[in-house]
Amino acid sequence: SQQGEEDPQALSIQEGENATMNCSYKTSINNLQWYRQNSGRGLVHLILIRSNEREKHSGRLRVTLDTSKKSSSLLITASRAADTASYFCATDAGGFKTIFGAGTRLFVKA
Amino acid sequence: EPEVTQTPSHQVTQMGQEVILRCVPISNHLYFYWYRQILGQKVEFLVSFYNNEISEKSEIFDDQFSVERPDGSNFTLKIRSTKLEDSAMYFCASSDIYEQYFGPGTRLTVT
């Protein structure tokens, strides 16, 4: 798989449920970031986690990072219809190059 | 809140024509980036720019592409001779150190 691969590719849940998306990567990283993209729109930065961090919270978002498994997860708690979007992880292996995964399309049903 | 802006929002051009996509990064940021996203596909890194020179570029960023910071505020991406496969959303981003702020994108349609 390529650097920054998310799974599942698509996720459909009911409002109020939690949504978990996973990301795997191949090379060593300095940090990993999660972005949201609403259909046809730009990317919105959600959260950055550094390679020496294991968990980070921001509002309803919780990100974990396991560098031994080269994986990260994004948990959105108590999802809302407005959370419907595509979610991408992006890895920064150093230098000035950021690699995005293919994304998870989340659909939250009201 | 400061934001990255991009113009135009949509550009239609004929194959073989030159296009310039414009971006105004956040004013105190030092690092600038261009990405593209072909419809339905992942966001692909094109190039990063720091201290008035290219820091890194991808294999996509061939001789048809160039970037410039012509003044203290604008950051441009030029495609010299567009091809049909250049049709995509082009995103500009800027950052201070880690967190990149993205613009809304320019949709380029090559006919």
Side-chain angles (χ1 to χ4, degrees), chain A residues 2 31 37 50 96 98, chain B residues 31 37 42 48 56 98 100:
Chain A
Q2 297 177 30
N31 61 71
Q37 184 180 37
R50 292 188 169 80
F96 299 98
T98 301
Chain B
Y31 303 88
Q37 185 179 33
K42 65 167 69 175
S48 57
E56 206 150 348
Y98 295 117
Q100 294 182 33

Side-chain angles (χ1 to χ4, degrees), chain A residues 20-78:
Chain A
T20 300
M21 289 159 270
N22 303 297
C23 167
S24 61
Y25 57 92
K26 291 202 149 196
T27 64
S28 297
I29 60 171
N30 292 327
N31 61 71
L32 184 145
Q33 304 181 64
W34 284 90
Y35 290 83
R36 185 185 73 225
Q37 184 180 37
N38 289 83
S39 181
R41 307 290 297 274
L43 291 146
V44 175
H45 185 269
L46 295 176
I47 198 164
L48 177 150
I49 187 165
R50 292 188 169 80
S51 59
N52 62 351
E53 297 176 309
R54 292 296 166 258
E55 188 172 310
K56 206 159 181 182
H57 297 255
S58 176
R60 293 184 296 113
L61 305 180
R62 173 177 169 257
V63 168
T64 63
L65 180 64
D66 187 335
T67 52
S68 66
K69 294 181 180 177
K70 292 188 169 59
S71 67
S72 173
S73 68
L74 170 67
L75 168 67
I76 304 174
T77 60

Side-chain angles (χ1 to χ4, degrees), chain B residues 16-86:
Chain B
Q17 296 294 305
E18 174 185 287
V19 293
I20 297 176
L21 310 182
R22 291 183 167 79
C23 168
V24 179
I26 294 173
S27 62
N28 62 341
H29 284 180
L30 301 176
Y31 303 88
F32 313 112
Y33 311 82
W34 282 102
Y35 295 85
R36 80 171 185 193
Q37 185 179 33
I38 295 170
L39 185 65
Q41 298 187 24
K42 65 167 69 175
V43 176
E44 298 174 292
F45 169 82
L46 291 178
V47 66
S48 57
F49 192 85
Y50 170 71
N51 202 24
N52 284 321
E53 59 183 29
I54 290 174
S55 306
E56 206 150 348
K57 60 183 181 179
S58 71
E59 51 278 1
I60 302 168
F61 194 88
D62 60 21
D63 293 343
Q64 293 296 315
F65 292 89
S66 62
V67 289
E68 196 178 29
R69 190 157 160 80
D71 52 44
S73 59
N74 289 285
F75 180 51
T76 62
L77 173 70
K78 182 193 289 186
I79 309 174
R80 284 186 234 292
S81 178
T82 50
K83 299 175 253 201
L84 293 176
E85 53 265 37
D86 293 327

